[in-house]
Amino acid sequence: MKSFSSDTGIQKIKLPEAGRIEFSDAKEGGLILRVSPRGKTWYLIFRPPGVKHPRRIKIGPYGSGGDGSKSFGLLQARRKAQDWKESLRAGDDPRSEANAAKARMKTDYAGTVERFLTQYVERNLARNTYLQYSGILRSDLLKTWRSRPIHKITRADVISVLDDIAESGRLVQANRTLAVLRKFFGWCAEKDLIPVDGLLPTDRVKPPLKKEQARKRTLSDPEIMVFWRACGQLGSPFGVYFQFLLATGQRRSEAANMVRSDIKEGVWTQTDNKAGRTHLLPLSDLAQSLLEKLPRAARSKLYFTTNDKTPIQGQSKVKQRLDAEIHKLIGEDSELFQEPWQIHDLRRTFTTRLRQLGIGQDVCSSLLNHAAKGVTAQHYDQYQMMPEKSHAMKVWGSFLESLLSDKCANVIGFNRA
């Protein structure tokens, strides 16, 4: 068995694609680090006096252990192992402490959320949906619930949270939060974690926004030109990221999580997306040229990253900077961008312009990776429409390049980014 002697050595251990590997601590006998695709976990292997077979006891996940975290760094894991070995020598079972903690985790809100995410969301829903659910259920808006027993969260608590979100102007987000909480408390009732003889905390709670209006906002041609130039002012990686979204029409999270091995011979193969199915997207020359602008670190598999380790985050906040750059370019009296726009509007602009350029709706739907309707389309027709999609992306790339040419850009008084 391989060993380690420092946190630095542990951090260098890469997660395997499958199976699990165990490493021993070079200093603390019996302390084991199990490494699997899901992460790194501490275990103690110890044989008390008079016991024939050694015991394996889970200590917890590897991590910094700071700020109240339930993870353990190397020094913390060593101290825990030493304490538990003393208990075992004295005839006590430290697992009683661990079991008590597990019991609390099963009944309080924070622990129940983790069970819900692991046992239901992660198993049954797409990764993007998992991120949405976890973001809502773990958010600071619900931090006062974290240590509360799940059965003591009331309808009044739910309404209070929704009112706080709505009063901040985020009515749609309030609706999304209610939808996730309904699913969560429904699952709790199925698991008999809360009484089912009465109302659930989300029953008879009305969405703060009674009717959500479908957005129809698209960017006009002059707005596309301004947007592209402003992205150039942002620089890499965020400026290129926003341009790439418009050039491909893909979802923001799917682009952010894209790794270099996903693209081969000009085709982006998505295996982890909202739809939960493999999506093949031919990239135009323009889209490929954008990726070539990104700096490449030898140790990073990601395209869009600021630290070479994790995908970019905080796109909504960066959009505020992008909006500022846009208004610097157009001034206060411009008719452009009078109507607010959202990042998802780039995807709608992509689709609408392709339809105007003569691309069929079925091809656009395939490019967006939308689910086809009907038994034949869903279960029998496996055609990927690669020639049609390649043509569409070429048409879109050529359109953007023509629109962004120096000649066109001079119409609104600035040169091509």
Side-chain angles (χ1 to χ4, degrees):
M1 183 183 297
K2 295 182 179 179
S3 63
F4 55 83
S5 58
S6 66
D7 272 307
T8 302
I10 296 173
Q11 292 167 7
K12 290 181 180 179
I13 298 174
K14 296 182 179 180
L15 303 185
E17 295 183 0
R20 59 194 185 192
I21 310 169
E22 291 190 343
F23 298 81
S24 63
D25 183 8
K27 295 184 178 179
E28 186 64 41
L31 182 58
I32 301 296
L33 184 70
R34 176 180 289 179
V35 182
S36 71
R38 296 177 63 88
K40 303 172 184 178
T41 307
W42 294 110
Y43 285 86
L44 173 64
I45 298 178
F46 182 74
R47 186 172 63 186
V51 177
K52 183 176 180 181
H53 299 290
R55 296 180 180 179
R56 177 185 290 265
I57 308 174
K58 181 178 178 180
I59 295 177
Y62 172 77
S64 64
D67 299 326
S69 171
K70 295 177 182 178
S71 60
F72 297 82
L74 177 55
L75 293 180
Q76 294 166 314
R78 284 174 176 168
R79 285 196 292 267
K80 179 66 73 173
Q82 291 166 3
D83 292 342
W84 283 12
K85 283 193 283 188
E86 288 182 7
S87 297
L88 287 165
R89 290 190 186 100
D92 298 328
D93 189 349
R95 285 178 296 185
S96 60
E97 174 192 338
N99 291 337
K102 286 183 179 179
R104 290 192 299 272
M105 285 288 287
K106 288 182 179 180
T107 58
D108 67 17
Y109 171 79
T112 307
V113 163
E114 298 309 314
R115 287 183 62 192
F116 172 67
L117 293 173
T118 301
Q119 297 179 14
Y120 176 77
V121 181
E122 189 174 349
R123 292 176 185 174
N124 299 287
L125 304 179
R127 184 176 183 276
N128 286 347
T129 307
Y130 174 89
L131 294 175
Q132 179 192 26
Y133 274 53
S134 63
I136 289 174
L137 295 173
R138 293 168 173 166
S139 72
D140 287 343
L141 291 167
L142 303 175
K143 64 182 179 182
T144 58
W145 295 6
R146 289 173 185 167
S147 60
R148 292 177 61 181
I150 192 68
H151 65 277
K152 290 192 175 182
I153 296 174
T154 66
R155 181 168 174 264
D157 294 324
V158 172
I159 293 173
S160 176
V161 167
L162 298 179
D163 286 346
D164 288 344
I165 300 174
E167 289 172 4
S168 68
R170 295 173 294 166
L171 291 171
V172 174
Q173 181 61 29
N175 282 15
R176 299 290 181 272
T177 300
L178 175 58
V180 171
L181 288 175
R182 280 175 173 164
K183 182 68 72 174
F184 169 67
F185 284 113
W187 178 87
C188 289
E190 291 177 2
K191 296 295 183 180
D192 203 25
L193 299 175
I194 55 178
V196 294
D197 52 351
L199 293 176
L200 298 180
T202 50
D203 285 349
R204 299 182 185 175
V205 177
K206 295 181 179 180
L209 185 61
K210 293 183 179 180
K211 186 176 181 180
E212 295 184 21
Q213 297 292 329
R215 288 185 60 82
K216 298 182 179 180
R217 175 77 160 100
T218 61
L219 272 61
S220 65
D221 287 357
E223 286 178 330
I224 290 175
M225 296 157 67
V226 174
F227 162 82
W228 201 272
R229 171 72 178 184
C231 288
Q233 298 297 104
L234 278 185
S236 178
F238 284 101
V240 178
Y241 167 75
F242 285 118
Q243 291 173 336
F244 187 77
L245 291 181
L246 181 60
T248 61
Q250 300 307 289
R251 298 180 180 91
R252 54 195 285 186
S253 59
E254 289 155 7
N257 288 286
M258 179 174 60
V259 297
R260 297 182 184 276
S261 59
D262 288 342
I263 297 180
K264 294 180 180 179
E265 298 181 358
V267 176
W268 177 10
T269 302
Q270 295 180 17
T271 56
D272 188 2
N273 51 47
K274 180 180 179 180
R277 57 178 173 269
T278 300
H279 176 42
L280 303 180
L281 181 73
L283 297 180
S284 65
D285 290 342
L286 175 61
Q288 293 184 65
S289 69
L290 290 172
L291 297 180
E292 291 171 358
K293 291 181 180 180
L294 296 166
R296 179 169 185 173
R299 62 183 180 279
S300 178
K301 298 179 181 179
L302 296 162
Y303 277 104
F304 299 106
T305 179
T306 56
N307 58 12
D308 299 334
K309 297 178 182 179
T310 58
I312 56 173
Q313 297 177 345
Q315 289 92 319
S316 296
K317 291 184 179 180
V318 177
K319 181 188 173 291
Q320 297 176 8
R321 290 169 45 201
L322 178 58
D323 286 334
E325 294 294 339
I326 286 173
H327 289 291
K328 284 182 184 178
L329 291 171
I330 63 177
E332 296 181 359
D333 299 328
S334 175
E335 296 181 357
L336 303 179
F337 287 98
Q338 289 298 308
E339 181 181 355
W341 70 284
Q342 298 177 2
I343 296 175
H344 196 73
D345 295 337
L346 299 176
R347 189 165 158 87
R348 187 179 300 104
T349 300
F350 166 85
T351 309
T352 303
R353 289 292 181 274
L354 277 178
R355 295 289 287 122
Q356 293 172 344
L357 293 169
I359 303 302
Q361 193 173 68
D362 57 338
V363 178
C364 291
S365 180
S366 183
L367 288 169
L368 296 174
N369 198 20
H370 282 167
K373 296 182 179 180
V375 174
T376 301
Q378 291 182 354
H379 300 286
Y380 294 95
D381 185 0
Q382 301 300 310
Y383 182 52
Q384 289 279 357
M385 302 183 72
M386 288 300 289
E388 294 86 348
K389 289 194 291 188
S390 295
H391 170 70
M393 293 300 288
K394 184 176 181 181
V395 168
W396 177 238
S398 298
F399 169 79
L400 284 177
E401 288 180 332
S402 176
L403 181 66
L404 300 167
S405 66
D406 290 335
K407 182 178 179 180
C408 290
N410 286 332
V411 172
I412 56 173
F414 56 77
N415 294 323
R416 182 183 178 185

